[in-house]
Amino acid sequence: MSTTPSSIHGDQPSSRDQVDAIRQVPAAGERALVLGGGGSAGNAWEIGVIAGLCDAGLDVTDADLIIGTSAGSTAAAQITSGTSPTELLASILAAAPPRTAPVGADRGRTPNVPLADLLARTSDIIRAAEDAADMRRRMGAAALETDAAAGSATQTERRAIVAARLPSQHWPGQPVLIVAVNAQTGEPVVFDRYSGVDLVDAVTASCAGPGLPPHSIGDSRYIDGGYRRSENADLAVGYRRVLVLSPFGGRSRMPVEWGMHLAAQADELRARGSWVETIFPDSSSSALFAAGANQMDPSTRPPAARAGYDQGRALAGQLTDFWR
């Protein structure tokens, strides 16, 4: 296990990617849990699903490996903190209603820029990019341009917000991988408890999405791990059973030929012998994650969590043989 974050090269995983991925995994094992990005609503839905599964008798937090990306990195840190999924769910449902804020507003985000405009800008970058590696470099360059305007106070505030969301700020004993992208080089990186990076910094880096300045760790700057792949499920290579929670239903804004969508990741895992199961939002919550919806709106958290909980309870019986 390396003592610094490892880069993962390439657009569609090659043999080199697979080697780098395997180096990040302490040892191939039985069960991996993958938590994809999906904004504030996605985090709440994932916590709800996991709490529902747990209350129905299926505890997936005992996975041999947990991979978290963007909002999923927050969920990964939360469910491995020693706080039960049921308690995490209760805290979401008990949270005070958010104060009125502009549509798309998120504390620490570029001021006065609606989320829809930010997504339009990133869509322009995607269209202009030659491939996934070029896209990541362009996304990093665009994020670095926000540094001067945001200043160090914004980074401090964002880190404090992330820290407040985590019941524990220490890496758990079980293997957890958190994915980010180096804004200066465009290279994907994977943080774990051996990387020498605080858990709060790793999660903050993985969550630095559209409209947020890159997160600084030492001399490096990092942006959202979803620019590698929204779920990064392929990092579970070598695990026999892989359960993926994808708030966006496996969709990707990237061109299909780049191989960044979840179906491509699942195919790669199955080709290596893994049994892959996926959970997508059902009809009770799918509107929260549809195109045009604002997943960063804090008011979406309680309904997303409730819907996820009901879905988890309903699915537990179907997943028991797979997981156990």
Side-chain angles (χ1 to χ4, degrees), residues 151-315:
S152 60
T154 298
Q155 166 147 318
T156 301
E157 181 184 17
R158 286 294 303 173
R159 190 183 189 282
I161 291 170
V162 170
R165 292 171 179 163
L166 306 184
S168 170
Q169 297 181 20
H170 302 288
W171 284 96
Q174 73 192 101
V176 172
L177 305 182
I178 292 178
V179 186
V181 170
N182 187 306
Q184 295 145 308
T185 66
E187 292 287 348
V189 297
V190 176
F191 298 111
D192 63 13
R193 64 191 174 106
Y194 300 100
S195 60
V197 172
D198 287 346
L199 177 63
V200 175
D201 282 315
V203 173
T204 306
S206 187
C207 293
L212 293 174
H215 183 65
S216 299
I217 303 176
D219 294 331
S220 298
R221 306 288 186 269
Y222 297 95
I223 57 175
D224 200 300
Y227 293 129
R228 180 185 181 270
R229 283 176 156 183
S230 294
E231 300 82 13
N232 291 300
D234 57 296
L235 297 184
V237 61
Y239 281 73
R240 291 184 60 191
R241 288 167 286 175
V242 181
L243 178 62
V244 185
L245 274 61
S246 175
F248 288 131
R251 303 189 309 274
S252 172
R253 293 193 293 148
M254 311 301 170
V256 173
E257 58 268 24
W258 291 359
M260 297 178 68
H261 50 294
L262 180 56
Q265 300 171 53
D267 286 346
E268 293 161 16
L269 288 169
R270 290 175 180 129
R272 298 289 295 271
S274 297
W275 180 2
V276 182
E277 292 285 355
T278 58
I279 301 179
F280 301 154
D282 62 14
S283 58
S284 64
S285 58
S286 58
L288 295 171
F289 303 101
N294 179 20
Q295 294 82 28
M296 299 309 302
D297 183 351
S299 69
T300 62
R301 288 180 60 75
R306 291 190 194 96
Y309 179 80
D310 291 341
Q311 191 174 355
R313 284 189 64 90
L315 290 173

Side-chain angles (χ1 to χ4, degrees), residues 128-154:
E130 296 180 0
D131 53 30
D134 184 40
M135 176 274 297
R136 290 194 298 268
R137 288 190 292 268
R138 290 170 181 261
M139 290 291 186
L144 288 168
E145 291 177 0
T146 70
D147 262 352
S152 60
T154 298

